Amino acid sequence: MNPALLGLITIVAGVGGCIGYFYFSNQILDKVIFPATGPDAGRNINRANMVRPWLFLFPAMFALGLYLAYPVFETLRLSLTDRDQGGAFVGLANYQQMAAEPKFWEALRNNLLWLIVVPAASTAFGLLAAQLTDRIKWGSIAKSLIFMPMAISFVGAGVIFKLVYETRPADQNQIGILNAVWLQFDGGFGSFLMLQALPTLILLSFAGIVAYVGWIFVRPIAESRQNGGGAGFVPLRLFVGVAALYLVYLSLTSLIGVFTFDYPYGEPQTWLTIPFWNSFLLMVVLIWIQTGFAMVILSAALRGIPEETVEAAIVDGANPFQIFFKIKVPQIMGTIVVVWTTITITVLKVFDIVFAMTNGQWETQVLANYMFDKLFRANDWGVGSAAAIVIMIMVSPILIWNVYNARKEMK
Amino acid sequence: MDNIAGSKSSLGWVVNISVVLLVALWVFPTFGLLVSSFRTADQITGSGWWASLFPSEQTERFRANDPDENRIERDGLFVVEGNIFEENGGSGDIQSWGTSSRAVDAYKPGDVADLGDGETFSVDAAGNYVWSGNDEQISGRGQRAFVTAVSPPEFTTENYVNIMTSGDSNDNMAKAFFNTLTVTIPATIIPIVVAAFAAYALAWMDFPGRAILIACVVGLLVVPLQLALIPLLKLHVGVGIGKGYLGVWLAHTGFGLPLAIYLLRNYMVGLPRDIIENAKVDGATDFQIFTKIILPLSFPALASFAIFQFLWTWNDLLVAKVFLIDSTGQTTVMTDQIVNLLGTRGGNWEILATAAFVSIAVPLCVFFAMQKYLVRGLLAGSVK
């Protein structure tokens, strides 16, 4: 059958079926099972009203259960069995096999990098864009242009950025803009400014921000020691503190690298094959897409800030930077966390970008692509499911946090 | 806040320039692909897309027409006449020319080059050339000429025609376009209907366990669909659906439901209680309240979700690859075909750029037309 016709029939059958189901199940409930007539009319109406919510809910709950809840457990089961042995229970053998593969650790390492860089950069750019566009006349046009990549598929974005990173031999015109820009650098003063001074600035400010955030987390511990009171979440705070310390150390050591590195001026680079850095070039694609999302949400939050607080700060003589960092940012911290976690979830599931641009070659593997590789190329369902479970485990803190917040909000 | 004394920022132009830079950075990549899709293969590999936006100066080598066939005798000399652009393609305004590769800009348009022993060659600004000399000189191969011309920006829609009508099934996007459309429309409409009823029950009906169900929906919002691939594929094969449209519609419906229920419930909860209670007092059943009051009032939320689901299903690669595309390749969708093209046609940017833009164009139109609803949905959909 022609797929378009099949599609049309499916729409009619699906929509008609749903509406028919709801209509007739309600009719049957009211007229046949618990009729609102006769001696038990009142009791029947109450009974019908107790059953009715479940009629409304049933199709959705059924689909959710079958398509999302059941697979979680089934995948967990599959990760403990071996397909080649007819689905026999093999304990943690799949996990052991996975842990023995360097490709898995590469994927995990890259995923952690993605988890740090993409949400941070998207949120930062989004905040910057939101703050700047709110102050200018053509702000809404600027916003919708920055927001536009949201509509573009990961695959389409992959093609767009492959053109940006395209490499041609040295004796031909470069058609990728990154190489065209790169060939402008010749080791002179401009190169120093862009390739050494600017990265230094970025690294230093990154280290500064990380140190500040780490300090915010660790400070309550120090204070509670003085006050003698107990600080909640001590392990979490300590963990964040240690992680921040590590990141600061990392950025300071790479600062040395910036000055000792011997830049290959004048040679076009095949960007996507440079190990370690190519992961960042792939992250750029996702940052490019997600910044618009962060901007839209943060811009709404910025507008929701009571003007009195800003006015009071101005009267007290605060400069624009103080107003932004000390008055505005603390008030929208909740929204920033929401944006951050939402992007984090997207990052954990990122598959298409890596699949389309490098397919995990040149050390760019990520977990979702690793899993796809195992499932559909190596046909190893056990290890593939184990990798899926690892993704699930990484998502679950956010899942619990979201459920906790939603419940708190409903009360 | 501009009306507050002292807040008039002296940094106004800095802000403007920063935003211009930011927007340029965000638009440039897409714009580059768009421009590339309107250039021929030679143009794309010859120069960066940014160069095509300005009149370009190019030096190219031409050869005059074959003298043995085209020469005419005039005043005792043999002459070959013609137009460089008509014979070799291209167009432009000639700046300079030469007859030797060592001095390509030796002459101005209209100059006459003396090639020795009375042989002359001249080119004017429009590309007309005259080559004259004696019988022996005007024979053999045509005279070489190096012409530096400034040609205006040149674009073509040929790539789009090619890619939609190509006979090669790997290149032809028309089929994939319709396949994508076939996947997208039912996968957008069906979850809306299912979710709307559930959202109504979760928002306006009282029953034990409601709070737990809502919490479950919030939890399922973030479950990675990677977990669902193998169990559901097994299930689909087990019940006989196999790989195909029905499977992918069901899968998209299942995966879209949590967001749909969450968005719609949040919106419906905010509807005024009075309307619903009045309707109940007047004897309306839940079914009537839902279809006659709630659904029409919830239109903005329905539109928001519809856009999300449309963008998500149109742009999806993973679900289609797992649940739809079989070994025959008849049901390929655009994202999948582009990935294949990246493998087989990695360097053919005229095909890649055009294919990518065919798939990007529809979501972009939807995006710009319905941005308001998209923003509203985003604001309601991010878990607070």
Side-chain angles (χ1 to χ4, degrees), chain A residues 10 22 67 75 144 173 175, chain B residues 26 44 46 197 227 236 249 371:
Chain A
T10 311
F22 289 114
Y67 275 83
T75 302
S144 69
N173 272 333
I175 63 170
Chain B
W26 252 253
I44 294 177
F197 281 96
L227 272 89
H236 280 178
W249 289 326
Q371 202 180 3

Side-chain angles (χ1 to χ4, degrees), chain A residues 3 10 22-23 57 67-68 74-75 78 138 144 151 153 160 163 166 173 175 288 291 311 338 345 349 368 381, chain B residues 4 16 26 29-30 44 46 182 197 207 222 226-227 230 232 234 236 249-250 258 287 315 342 349 363 371 383:
Chain A
T10 311
F22 289 114
Y23 182 75
L57 281 170
Y67 275 83
L68 284 167
E74 175 68 5
T75 302
L78 281 173
W138 54 289
S144 69
S153 61
I160 289 174
L163 182 60
E166 176 77 2
N173 272 333
I175 63 170
W288 181 71
T291 294
E311 282 168 22
V338 167
I345 293 165
K349 295 191 257 187
W381 289 10
Chain B
I4 305 171
N16 268 301
W26 252 253
T30 322
I44 294 177
T182 313
F197 281 96
F207 58 93
V222 301
Q226 267 89 357
L227 272 89
I230 285 297
L232 290 182
K234 270 172 68 181
H236 280 178
W249 289 326
L250 288 173
F287 190 79
N315 290 338
L342 273 173
W349 279 105
Q371 202 180 3
V383 183

Side-chain angles (χ1 to χ4, degrees), chain A residues 322-386:
Chain A
Q322 285 174 323
I323 293 174
F324 182 67
F325 284 107
K326 300 209 161 154
I327 307 292
K328 288 185 173 175
V329 171
Q331 293 197 63
I332 59 167
M333 213 52 195
T335 315
I336 291 179
V337 171
V338 167
V339 169
W340 192 292
T341 51
T342 311
I343 298 177
T344 302
I345 293 165
T346 316
V347 171
L348 276 171
K349 295 191 257 187
V350 69
F351 159 77
D352 314 31
I353 293 176
V354 177
F355 184 77
M357 290 183 77
T358 64
N359 198 9
Q361 286 169 290
W362 308 297
E363 299 179 27
T364 54
Q365 190 67 294
V366 292
L367 276 177
N369 194 46
Y370 172 81
M371 191 210 80
F372 188 84
D373 236 28
K374 285 289 162 201
L375 285 183
F376 297 104
R377 247 173 255 146
N379 262 319
D380 191 340
W381 289 10
V383 174
S385 302

